[in-house]
Amino acid sequence: MNAATVRHILDTMATMFPDAHCELNHSNAFELTIAVLLSAQCTDETVNKVTKDLFQKYKTPLDYVSVPLEELEQDIRRIGLYRNKAKHIQNLCAILIEQYGGEVPEAHDELVKLPGVGRKTANVVVSNAFGVPAIAVDTHVERVSKRLGLAAWKDSVLEVEKKLMKRVPREEWTITHHRIIFFGRYHCKAQNPQCQICPLLDVCREGKKRMKTSAVRKNKEQPRVSKT
């Protein structure tokens, strides 16, 4: 894919979603870390419902480790995999207290050492909480990147991230991450993407394939006119 096509994709998404942003509610780096940890295999909408009360009850890492694990589990039980996530949160908070003075480390290499914090979570935290350019590859970013040909179908999540970092200007990494998520969440959905009205259909291999398949199907379904 050439630079002009990439620029076209980025500019089109910017027009569609100029105000794209992190939709996980948070007021500081610590809350963001907890929210992103909870969001694994869970929607941001559900996480925000849970953290509305959670962040009122727990303000600091010490608050999380001061309650029985069972109590924390009940507080987040609407979240998928809540038992494992509760353990991760308490272990993470204990490490923050013991090694980082209760503060979330700014370095990506330090963040990924924390329980429940993978590369994606670390990228979200450094970019949104600390202003460090990063591209976090979640399910939306992976799907959209592969459909548009920004990455190959067989690419791993890390390979998708590296290709996006290479093709997107560094100063646009964070906002591009948010715009691709919005594009995937509200337009290029996993099921029933809006290909027929998509402004990127001209450069989307997946969209062209879907539209062609749809046209063939409609032609087959049309009643044949008998000749008399």
Side-chain angles (χ1 to χ4, degrees):
M1 179 176 290
N2 59 45
T5 301
V6 174
R7 189 70 263 166
H8 170 58
I9 290 172
L10 298 182
D11 290 344
T12 300
M13 288 186 183
T15 300
M16 294 177 70
F17 303 105
D19 301 317
H21 58 279
C22 177
E23 292 191 297
L24 291 170
N25 295 333
H26 64 281
S27 59
N28 53 55
F30 177 58
E31 288 185 353
L32 178 60
T33 303
I34 298 298
V36 181
L37 188 157
L38 291 173
S39 71
Q41 299 182 41
C42 185
T43 66
D44 287 1
E45 182 181 6
T46 299
V47 173
N48 286 337
K49 289 178 181 178
V50 170
T51 57
K52 182 178 180 181
D53 294 326
L54 192 73
F55 291 163
Q56 288 296 317
K57 181 176 180 179
Y58 303 97
K59 302 289 187 181
T60 68
L62 183 59
D63 293 335
Y64 284 95
V65 299
S66 298
V67 300
L69 178 61
E70 293 75 18
E71 182 174 343
L72 179 56
E73 288 178 350
Q74 290 305 306
D75 289 332
I76 64 170
R77 69 188 317 273
R78 285 181 289 173
I79 299 285
L81 306 174
Y82 70 93
R83 287 193 174 89
N84 282 336
K85 291 177 181 179
K87 291 179 183 177
H88 286 323
I89 289 173
Q90 286 201 332
N91 291 334
L92 179 151
C93 288
I95 292 174
L96 292 183
I97 294 170
E98 295 168 4
Q99 300 182 22
Y100 300 100
E103 300 293 331
V104 174
E106 295 187 23
H108 189 280
D109 291 346
E110 296 299 314
L111 282 166
V112 293
K113 296 177 183 178
L114 299 173
V117 177
R119 186 175 182 84
K120 184 201 79 172
T121 299
N123 281 342
V124 173
V125 174
V126 297
S127 60
N128 290 280
F130 302 124
V132 179
I135 297 178
V137 180
D138 68 353
T139 181
H140 299 297
V141 174
E142 181 179 11
R143 180 177 69 256
V144 169
S145 297
K146 291 182 176 181
R147 282 180 173 176
L148 288 172
L150 291 166
W153 293 115
K154 62 179 177 56
D155 284 347
S156 65
V157 171
L158 180 57
E159 288 171 331
V160 172
E161 180 186 335
K162 288 181 177 179
K163 286 186 177 179
L164 289 175
M165 290 170 66
K166 183 178 181 179
R167 288 176 167 149
V168 177
R170 189 174 188 274
E171 64 273 15
E172 297 180 42
W173 285 356
T174 299
I175 188 61
T176 295
H177 155 74
H178 292 310
R179 285 172 178 161
I180 295 179
I181 287 178
F182 269 53
F183 186 80
R185 181 175 288 160
Y186 302 113
H187 180 78
C188 188
K189 302 176 182 179
Q191 302 296 326
N192 301 316
Q194 301 177 49
C195 302
Q196 66 278 8
I197 60 170
C198 184
L200 289 177
L201 181 60
D202 60 326
V203 296
C204 181
R205 57 183 179 181
E206 174 72 8
K208 290 177 181 178
K209 179 181 177 182
R210 284 174 177 268
M211 294 301 290
K212 183 177 181 180
T213 301
S214 177
V216 171
R217 187 181 300 116
K218 286 182 179 179
N219 288 334
K220 289 182 177 180
E221 292 174 351
Q222 288 180 352
R224 294 182 179 179
V225 179
S226 60
K227 295 180 181 181
T228 57

